[in-house]
């Protein structure tokens, strides 16, 4: 017996792969229940403690805090691999970075690194916290990789570095605590949580990944695009399409045309491996392609932004929740097809089944990655190298717009009756002579740009720097000029930024600067349109409203490379001199509004300049004049340095000044939270506006003018005017007594019979109301002399245009602006707006002539699309996009386009900000 124990002791000492601690705690050991157990959820506090236990017990785990969340919690990434790999993480990260950036590597070096490196795979959970499977499967998968010793697990640990990431700690705590609050398990539900699970933006936390406003987005993006550059990113979601278990890759068309084709074929390959794994294990119900709504077009999501960085992005949407559910009968889903080769039959469904499916899919992805490790590592290099090569030469992108140019030219060309001998397949109906291709794809003006220049000499350079920082956070290489230079006949000052397209992440560069050209996509010829999964067009370089130049030819300039990940600050300063009457803040600069709000809070005197004639040459209409006093100078010095603005000195008071003061702002919100309102909260706080959330009950109680000067209603607040006799649906499942008392004041909706009369009284007494998007319905409730411009006569009645004639999903459109009006101070005469089936108006001519209703923005032509998809855009011509209307002593401002959309449309923020100073009347 003694000899037996000596042998065992020797094995313990000599075996180098033996775990540093033998007792890996199971989820049940820690939480008191297994992952996937009915009616049970973990919260973040418990999960954080479990992660720390696992890291302490296992030599396969490095626990890393990647940053803080919006609510101040720690956000964790667990790096899981073999103990030997964990000792060499710096080298494996270096290999991954070098291959992804593809800079200064020969083919031999790339192949050598691919042989040496490890597959870097990202798997996350919990981004959308009400999709409770995400974090549950993450916990279970991490435990399995910390404890299992089977051959497949060991092979994965030896050949891969897995980045397990908790995507939303704040929401995890909120939703889990909300679900578990009821001691009666049969009454547990995540429904009717009192606020959004991501501070400010809720579900839109998966729409923030190219602009990166939220701290969680910044944390994750840094790991994805600056630090680790994984070859695969797997983003878990819920729920699957009805009648299936899980939707996954490959996804439906269209895919974004800036992608390398190798990305698409790689995505197909991983999808096949995932589907096959489930079939091997007897797990039916995987659907892909047109079996779901998910495409590969949009940028801005956790998994979709990865595509623009040559990374294989995976999304699965799966059924299941801690409360048992069922697979419904959808007869069409029971027919096997290439989208759903192994249908699932109707049945009861338990949470544990979803966890098991998720773990299987994680293993499928990781097994694929290690079996194809060298290919994945080399292929991300190859895609990056392809991008660099395309950026170094003349290149013409394939797109629907250019194909339309070919077809139109061919259609309009004189017909000779002769056949072009260069056509490879004569006689085909779709054959077109090659000369028409050459006319487009050898036209030097149609080629892709070699670079983009953002001049430091433009008015709103601080907003341009915000754009540059979004690129930097996404791993883009940026150059900054060290001296003035000239390119293609135009001069640029020192400090200007150059973004070259000859870099590995060229698809992201092009997507951020260039218009998206979404194809016409209809269910069948002449039929209804197929809605994009999200936006059709976004182009931040347009919606942010700064100036840039597309450079079609290579050029030289004195520059220095900005280190990867190093954020930039615009230069600004104040030179305070005696004899100055005051200083001017340019109204074209968004950051000027931050400065003004800080000045007002400090008690400084601030005015707006209504008339520029006879004033300082640097003065623009609507600019701010700040009197030089002991209260203003210290604030001006601070904000100039912090915000990158340089106030202009003025030796005398400008003419035609209107003093402004802080006003009382109400911002509508609702129980559970509104994403448009949340984004507005973020914008208001970032620009230092003081505000108070206002809810339907407070509005219905009246006396609004005693408490507010202006009330803002983002999209979704004001209901449409109901048809005669129509009833508003009531949610009978919602019971106020089940809501904590602290949130009951937020319950309620805006109603035509109670809320609208109070809002009318508010305006009649001198208050102002700002409405955006669908909330411009208020104009119809008030019976103002405006009507819907997008109607046609059908069956003797005016009806909205049919989708077969007119369809504009989220896209960027161009409008004209009346800059003489105070509401539009600081704007240019034209602006790019985000338009998503937005309201468009016609104003009665006599209302315009007597100035009771005035257009602020309108569509001046039949072709106003800038980026995206606008079928039937000719119907917009002469339509009004925004207006102001007198209502008693106050005003209604109606903005049809989403002027504050997802805090991305910096170019139209001023259309809101201007209303937060002007036209307040004495009570």
């Amino acid at each position: 017996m003694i000899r037996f124990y000596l042998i065992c002791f020797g094995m313990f000492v000599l075996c180098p792969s033996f775990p540093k601690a033998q007792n890996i705690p199971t989820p049940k050991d820690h939480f008191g229940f297994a992952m996937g157990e009915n009616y049970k959820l973990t919260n973040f506090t418990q999960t954080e403690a479990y992660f720390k236990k696992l890291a302490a017990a296992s030599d396969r785990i490095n626990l890393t805090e990647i940053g803080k969340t919006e609510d101040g919690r720690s956000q964790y990434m667990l790096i899981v691999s073999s103990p030997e790999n964990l000792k060499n993480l710096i080298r494996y990260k270096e290999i991954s970075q070098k291959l992804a950036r593809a800079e200064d590597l020969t083919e031999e070096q790339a192949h050598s690194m691919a042989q040496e490196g490890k597959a870097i795979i990202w798997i996350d959970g919990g981004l959308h916290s009400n999709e409770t499977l995400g974090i549950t499967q993450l916990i279970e998968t991490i435990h399995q990789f910390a404890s299992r010793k089977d051959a497949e697990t060991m092979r994965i640990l030896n050949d891969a570095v897995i980045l397990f990431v908790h995507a939303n700690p704040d929401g995890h705590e909120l939703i889990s605590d909300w679900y578990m609050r009821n001691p009666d398990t049969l009454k547990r539900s995540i429904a009717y949580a009192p606020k959004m699970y991501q501070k400010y933006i809720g579900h839109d936390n998966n729409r923030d990944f190219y602009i990166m406003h939220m701290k969680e987005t910044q944390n994750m993006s840094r790991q994805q695009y600056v630090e680790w550059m994984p070859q695969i990113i797997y983003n878990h979601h819920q729920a699957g399409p009805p009648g299936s278990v899980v939707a996954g890759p490959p996804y439906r068309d269209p895919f974004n045309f800036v992608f390398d084709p190798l990305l698409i074929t790689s995505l197909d390959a991983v999808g096949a491996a995932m589907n096959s794994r489930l079939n091997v294990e007897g797990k039916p119900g995987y659907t892909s392609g047109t079996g779901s709504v998910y495409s590969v077009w949009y940028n801005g999501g956790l998994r979709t932004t990865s595509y623009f960085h040559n990374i294989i992005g995976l999304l699965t949407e799966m059924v299941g929740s801690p409360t048992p559910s069922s697979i419904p009968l959808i007869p069409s889903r029971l027919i096997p097809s290439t989208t759903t080769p192994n249908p699932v039959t109707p049945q009861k469904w338990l949470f544990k089944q979803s966890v098991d499916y998720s773990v299987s899919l994680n293993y499928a992805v990781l097994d694929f990655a290690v079996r194809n490790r060298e290919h994945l590592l080399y292929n991300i290099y190859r895609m990056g190298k392809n991008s660099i090569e395309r950026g170094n030469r003349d290149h013409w992108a394939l797109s629907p717009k250019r194909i339309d140019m070919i077809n139109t030219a061919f259609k309009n060309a004189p017909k000779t009756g002769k056949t072009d001998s260069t056509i490879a397949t004569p006689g085909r109906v779709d054959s077109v002579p090659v000369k028409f291709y050459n006319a487009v794809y050898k036209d030097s003006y149609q080629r892709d740009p070699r670079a983009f220049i953002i001049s430091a000499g433009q008015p709103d350079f601080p907003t341009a720097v915000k754009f540059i920082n979004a690129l930097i956070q996404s791993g883009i290489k940026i150059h900054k000029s060290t001296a003035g230079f000239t390119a293609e006949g135009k001069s640029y000052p020192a400090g200007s930024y150059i973004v070259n397209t000859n870099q590995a992440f060229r698809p992201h560069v092009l997507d951020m600067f260039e218009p998206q050209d979404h194809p016409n996509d209809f269910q069948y010829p002449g039929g209804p349109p197929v809605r994009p999964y999200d936006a059709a067009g976004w182009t931040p370089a347009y919606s942010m409203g700064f100036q840039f130049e597309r450079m079609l030819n290579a050029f030289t300039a004195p520059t220095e490379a900005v280190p990867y990940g190093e954020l930039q600050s615009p230069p600004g300063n104040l030179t305070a001199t005696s004899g100055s009457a005051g200083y001017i803040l340019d109204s074209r600069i968004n950051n000027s509004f931050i400065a003004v709000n800080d000045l007002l809070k400090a008690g400084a005197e601030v005015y707006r300049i209504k008339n520029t004639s006879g004033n300082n040459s640097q003065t623009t209409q609507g600019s701010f004049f700040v009197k030089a006093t002991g209260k203003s100078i210290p604030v001006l010095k601070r904000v100039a340095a912090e915000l990158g603005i340089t106030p202009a000195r003025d030796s005398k008071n400008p003419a035609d000044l209107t003093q402004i003061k802080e006003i009382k702002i109400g911002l509508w919100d609702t129980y559970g939270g509104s994403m448009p309102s949340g984004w507005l909260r973020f914008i208001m706080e970032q620009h230092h506006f003081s505000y108070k959330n206002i809810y339907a009950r407070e509005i219905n109680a009246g006396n609004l003018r005693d408490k507010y000067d202006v009330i803002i209603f983002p999209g979704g607040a004001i209901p449409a005017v109901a048809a005669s006799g129509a009833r508003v649906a009531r949610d009978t499942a919602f019971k106020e007594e089940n809501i904590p008392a602290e949130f009951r004041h937020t319950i309620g909706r805006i109603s035509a019979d109670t809320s609208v009369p109070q809002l009318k009284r508010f305006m009649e007494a001198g208050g102002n109301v700002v409405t955006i998007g669908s909330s411009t319905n208020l104009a119809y409730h008030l019976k103002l002399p405006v009507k819907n411009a997008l109607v046609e006569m059908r069956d003797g009645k005016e009806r909205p245009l049919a989708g077969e004639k007119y369809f504009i999903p989220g896209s960027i459109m161009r409008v004209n602006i009346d800059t003489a009006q105070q509401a539009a101070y600081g704007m240019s005469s034209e602006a790019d707006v985000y338009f998503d089936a937005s309201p468009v108006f016609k104003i009665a001519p006599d209302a315009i002539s007597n100035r009771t209703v005035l257009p602020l923005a309108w569509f001046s032509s039949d072709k106003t699309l800038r980026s995206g998809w606008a079928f039937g855009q000719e119907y917009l011509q002469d339509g009004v996009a925004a207006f102001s209307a007198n209502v008693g002593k106050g005003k209604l401002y109606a903005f049809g386009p989403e002027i504050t959309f997802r805090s991305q449309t910096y170019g139209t923020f001023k259309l809101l900000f201007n209303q937060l100073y002007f036209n307040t009347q004495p009570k």
Side-chain angles (χ1 to χ4, degrees), residues 330-400:
I330 307 293
S332 60
R333 290 274 184 189
L334 296 178
I335 303 172
S337 66
T338 53
T339 60
T340 311
N342 189 5
V344 64
T345 55
Q347 58 188 277
K348 183 178 179 179
W349 196 262
L350 301 180
F351 200 31
K352 180 64 165 59
Q353 292 173 273
S354 296
V355 173
D356 290 344
Y357 267 66
S358 298
V359 173
S360 292
L361 290 171
N362 288 334
Y363 265 86
V365 171
L366 291 164
D367 177 66
F368 175 90
V370 298
R371 290 179 185 275
N372 296 276
R373 176 181 57 83
E374 288 188 38
H375 292 306
L376 286 174
L377 287 164
Y378 177 79
N379 286 356
I380 199 170
Y381 159 79
R382 185 66 262 167
M383 288 185 278
K385 192 70 171 179
N386 291 344
S387 287
I388 292 171
E389 291 170 355
R390 289 174 188 132
N392 277 330
R393 66 174 190 267
D394 288 348
H395 185 271
W396 287 260
L398 298 170
S399 72

Side-chain angles (χ1 to χ4, degrees), residues 49 61 66 81 129 145 154 163 209 255 515 540 577 589 615 623 625 652 684 691 725 742 754 765 837 897:
I61 297 176
I66 60 174
S81 192
S129 302
F145 274 96
M154 301 308 292
L163 310 177
F209 280 83
F255 63 78
T577 59
I589 302 174
N615 289 324
S623 287
F625 176 72
K652 63 179 182 178
M684 300 284 277
Y691 70 95
E742 64 180 300
T754 304

